[in-house]
Amino acid sequence: MIKPTHYDDDGYPIQWLRSAIPSNTLASLNGLAEAVRDRKALGDDVRIHLHTYDETNKRVRPERIAQQIRKAGGKALVALVGVQSNQFPRATDLARKFLKEGLPTAIGGFHVSGCISMLDEMPEEMVQLQKEGVSYFAGEAEDRRLDMVFRDAIAGDLKPLYNFMADLPSLEGEPTPILPTKHIQFTAGSHSSFDLGRGCPFQCSFCTIINVQGRKSRFRSADDLEQIIRDNVAQGIDRFFITDDNFARNREWEPLFDRLIELREKEKFDIKFIIQVDTLCHRIENFIEKATRAGVNRVFIGLENINPDNLLAAKKRQNKITEYREMLQKWRAHGATTYAGYIIGFPGDTKASVLHDVEIIKKELPLDLLEFFYLTPLPGSEDHKVLLDKGIWMDPDLNKYDLNHRVSHHPKMSDTEWEEAYHAAWESYYSDEHIETVLRRAAAHRKGRPGNKLFLMMWFKLMVECEGVHPLEGGYFRLKFRSDRRSTLPRENPLVFYPRYLGEIVYKHWAYVSSVWRVYRIYRRVKADPNRRAYSDLAIAPLDTSGEEDLAMIKETRGGTEAVAKQVRDAALRKAGKDRAKAAAGS
């Protein structure tokens, strides 16, 4: 099982000595495959050997793998798993090399499932690869579906397509998502990842999850969660990223948190979590309180934008900008580090409006980390299908569909302006001045952990500035191999490749040291300030709902004033409803 990476702009796989977070898909499929092996699904006389590769931190050499298989004897199936659209070109190159070695090869993941789900016809690049002998797996592999694939593989009769998109399985009672510790040692810390739920009821037009995992939510149980934790802790893994797109919409959130609280407080498990939530999670009674007791110390929030008109255009009606500040202050009060994603390129955006909105966020929202994305018509999303049906241009190079490259045109901005807005947003948010602001906000709170904020902000800043990759696909010490270059590009002369690679290493590490030293001095100054606890600004000041309408986020964004008016109307309607209910109860 191989989780492929994708290529950088020079055509080399993005690979690190230490990558950031292990692949959830690889962990899930490894757990499912271990279950196939343990129950001897291919018979008592067949031994199943499992090998997993995360290409973000482990080089994949098809010729060497094939040689090892031939030496060991037996049969093999190569599964390229969790392949996203931007990883499909790399998966294609690997698949062709494995086929050349006579190894049956299958590809699954969001690109395959999204295209099968949303498009009338399979894209040409998928059709061509299928003709060459690659099999596709669409959907999810729970419910013992790997048994069928393994049986077909050992019989030499893989189907061209395994399509389970119309039959999304239950997750309860399924095997533990788990990776061997040999993988975890090549990531930044003892982190692993797993999901507790799939599917989403919302209708965001840029999202692929609703069309790949469905709009009906499915969940693991509290017993499943406990087993996942115990199995991982037994091999020294105690930090986790729960990959659910929106944990706050899991109807079983409270039993799940209660089980984690029990493990932490009664059995003294030292476990921590990163979760993803929506902007209305604070409305759920006790959600934030129990989340932090359960060990949640970082939370990713689907902010997406602060312009109500943009959110409406993307069908993200659940986001209410009037709730943003209150929600972020509640997470801050409980000591959690807050991340948010912000999408640039909605129809109403201009370069000036984007940078203006970033300034508003910096001043009015107590957010720690902000990561920017291009609005991208990902295959499997409604946006992609609409543009495809209308014949509107989209970049044909799937490698660019990583949310870090522009792949379409904008109705108001030129291509250059859009790209400038994207890069300027990163530069603005991670300026020395704003890093100091975030550190002062953290130092003002007894649970603020300014050292942690410093590390994370510098990670985000340096990945973008020095490595040219999005922080989510970053790592430590970039690895490049001359012979692994993308098949559509020529192999470089050693006299060109190696001196340039060495120069990049020297330049990047000098940039790391100089940037970190400069910002570390800011950190020391903030920590040494005897009045650091007295610091305050608009973002962390106590909430005064009567003055909310005076915020620039309300007054100076498209649709902001109407959003406040709607909030007032909704509150009045809720109050009237409660009054009627009380009156009816009294009578």
Side-chain angles (χ1 to χ4, degrees):
M1 289 169 284
I2 299 168
K3 178 69 169 76
T5 183
H6 82 110
Y7 295 110
D8 64 17
D9 292 342
D10 293 324
Y12 293 100
I14 297 175
Q15 201 167 69
W16 310 93
L17 186 65
R18 293 286 185 273
S19 59
I21 297 177
S23 163
N24 173 59
T25 302
L26 196 60
S28 294
L29 283 171
N30 183 63
L32 293 171
E34 285 184 351
V36 176
R37 179 190 61 194
D38 294 345
R39 63 174 176 266
K40 299 183 177 179
L42 299 183
D44 292 338
D45 58 340
V46 177
R47 294 177 62 192
I48 299 176
H49 301 268
L50 303 173
H51 300 273
T52 51
Y53 293 77
D54 185 342
E55 204 186 13
T56 62
N57 56 48
K58 187 175 183 180
R59 190 181 181 194
V60 175
R61 307 178 75 173
E63 298 83 0
R64 184 168 294 184
I65 291 172
Q67 184 181 17
Q68 292 170 347
I69 291 170
R70 284 192 289 267
K71 184 177 180 180
K75 297 185 176 182
L77 168 65
V78 176
L80 298 165
V81 307
V83 178
Q84 300 169 8
S85 295
N86 67 86
Q87 297 159 347
F88 194 79
R90 176 60 180 165
T92 297
D93 284 350
L94 289 173
R96 285 180 171 143
K97 290 181 179 180
F98 283 118
L99 290 174
K100 186 178 179 181
E101 297 291 337
L103 296 175
T105 304
I107 297 178
F110 260 66
H111 184 70
V112 171
S113 296
C115 290
I116 296 295
S117 171
M118 292 295 287
L119 303 182
D120 298 330
E121 297 180 353
M122 194 182 291
E124 179 57 34
E125 70 274 1
M126 287 181 60
V127 173
Q128 180 59 42
L129 204 55
Q130 192 179 53
K131 288 179 180 177
E132 295 174 30
V134 166
S135 297
Y136 293 122
F137 189 100
E140 298 170 12
E142 282 80 9
D143 200 20
R144 301 194 175 190
R145 291 167 182 175
L146 285 186
D147 293 25
M148 179 195 309
V149 178
F150 282 20
R151 282 194 291 266
D152 290 349
I154 201 170
D157 189 29
L158 277 178
K159 295 180 176 61
L161 173 64
Y162 295 86
N163 186 0
F164 296 101
M165 290 304 299
D167 185 16
L168 299 174
S170 168
L171 301 181
E172 192 167 350
E174 289 290 340
T176 294
I178 193 166
L179 283 172
T181 51
K182 65 179 181 179
H183 285 290
I184 306 306
Q185 67 181 342
F186 292 109
T187 60
S190 54
H191 276 82
S192 191
S193 57
F194 59 86
D195 59 9
L196 291 175
R198 296 178 195 158
C200 178
F202 297 127
Q203 299 178 14
C204 309
S205 64
F206 54 80
C207 183
T208 60
I209 289 174
I210 55 178
N211 303 313
V212 172
Q213 296 183 348
R215 300 190 181 187
K216 180 181 178 181
S217 298
R218 296 159 288 132
F219 308 109
R220 300 186 196 271
S221 68
D223 289 341
D224 296 331
L225 171 59
E226 181 175 343
Q227 191 64 51
I228 290 170
I229 300 302
R230 291 188 181 277
D231 288 348
N232 277 280
V233 169
Q235 59 176 8
I237 300 167
D238 53 16
R239 299 293 185 267
F240 305 93
F241 176 31
I242 301 178
T243 62
D244 299 32
D245 187 57
N246 185 359
F247 196 90
R249 297 281 76 80
N250 188 323
R251 62 174 178 267
E252 299 298 318
W253 68 266
E254 193 160 25
L256 293 170
F257 280 157
D258 285 343
R259 187 66 61 92
L260 293 175
I261 290 169
E262 185 176 339
L263 289 173
R264 280 170 50 83
E265 297 182 357
K266 290 186 178 180
E267 300 194 40
K268 305 304 179 183
F269 276 53
D270 181 20
I271 47 179
K272 300 287 186 182
F273 301 90
I274 305 170
I275 64 171
Q276 302 183 104
V277 297
D278 62 25
T279 59
L280 298 180
C281 58
H282 63 293
R283 284 190 182 179
I284 304 172
E285 188 175 0
N286 292 326
F287 181 86
I288 292 178
E289 290 78 4
K290 287 202 169 185
T292 49
R293 279 184 65 194
V296 173
N297 64 347
R298 300 186 203 170
V299 56
F300 182 90
I301 300 154
L303 199 73
E304 316 305 9
N305 211 266
I306 62 169
N307 280 285
D309 289 354
N310 280 348
L311 296 167
L312 189 62
K315 297 185 179 179
K316 199 170 183 69
R317 300 177 179 87
Q318 68 271 23
N319 275 26
K320 313 295 182 187
I321 67 166
T322 51
E323 308 273 351
Y324 286 0
R325 191 156 162 263
E326 179 184 358
M327 174 268 301
L328 289 167
Q329 286 203 13
K330 283 191 175 181
W331 280 113
R332 178 178 180 271
H334 286 82
T337 297
T338 52
Y339 301 65
Y342 198 83
I343 297 174
I344 295 174
F346 284 113
D349 282 344
T350 64
K351 180 180 175 181
S353 73
V354 167
L355 298 181
H356 177 66
D357 291 350
V358 171
E359 290 301 316
I360 291 174
I361 292 171
K362 288 160 60 177
K363 293 175 182 176
E364 297 186 353
L365 294 181
L367 191 63
D368 298 316
L369 296 159
L370 189 59
E371 50 194 42
F372 300 95
F373 305 97
Y374 282 102
L375 181 63
T376 302
L378 290 170
S381 70
E382 180 186 338
D383 285 352
H384 178 269
K385 181 171 174 55
V386 168
L387 293 182
L388 188 67
D389 290 346
K390 291 181 177 180
I392 296 175
W393 181 86
M394 292 180 284
D395 198 305
D397 185 2
L398 287 172
N399 190 69
K400 294 180 180 179
Y401 284 70
D402 58 356
L403 312 183
N404 195 36
H405 289 80
R406 179 192 57 78
V407 297
S408 59
H409 299 310
H410 191 271
K412 286 187 176 180
M413 291 184 281
S414 68
D415 295 346
T416 300
E417 287 175 328
W418 193 359
E419 291 167 357
E420 288 175 348
Y422 176 78
H423 292 292
W426 280 107
E427 184 178 343
S428 173
Y429 195 84
Y430 291 93
S431 64
D432 289 359
E433 292 78 13
H434 189 60
I435 290 175
E436 180 170 354
T437 297
V438 172
L439 293 179
R440 288 199 176 279
R441 290 171 183 169
H445 195 282
R446 62 184 180 84
K447 297 181 180 180
R449 300 183 298 154
N452 174 261
K453 305 295 190 294
L454 173 68
F455 171 80
L456 293 170
M457 292 196 81
M458 289 308 294
W459 175 281
F460 276 54
K461 177 184 178 70
L462 293 173
M463 287 302 104
V464 173
E465 288 185 359
C466 299
E467 299 290 353
V469 302
H470 197 279
L472 296 184
E473 60 182 16
Y476 172 69
F477 199 92
R478 178 68 193 280
L479 301 176
K480 287 186 181 182
F481 301 95
R482 188 173 69 93
S483 60
D484 290 352
R485 199 178 195 196
R486 190 174 183 179
S487 62
T488 55
L489 296 172
R491 185 175 296 188
E492 291 188 293
N493 187 302
L495 297 177
V496 173
F497 174 81
Y498 290 107
R500 187 178 66 232
Y501 181 36
L502 178 61
E504 288 175 359
I505 292 171
V506 172
Y507 166 77
K508 289 175 183 177
H509 281 78
W510 172 252
Y512 288 165
V513 171
S514 58
S515 293
V516 170
W517 174 241
R518 187 182 67 250
V519 176
Y520 182 68
R521 285 185 293 172
I522 296 174
Y523 167 76
R524 288 173 57 185
R525 186 169 68 246
V526 170
K527 285 283 288 183
D529 185 352
N531 296 317
R532 63 183 183 275
R533 289 279 193 261
Y535 175 82
S536 185
D537 59 28
L538 182 58
I540 63 175
L543 288 167
D544 179 6
T545 54
S546 64
E548 285 285 288
E549 64 271 17
D550 293 327
L551 293 174
M553 186 172 60
I554 303 301
K555 294 172 62 177
E556 300 176 19
T557 59
R558 295 180 301 280
T561 303
E562 173 56 28
V564 171
K566 185 177 185 303
Q567 182 189 39
V568 172
R569 291 195 300 269
D570 290 347
L573 289 172
R574 286 194 296 270
K575 183 178 184 303
K578 289 179 181 178
D579 290 343
R580 286 194 297 270
K582 287 181 180 179
S587 62

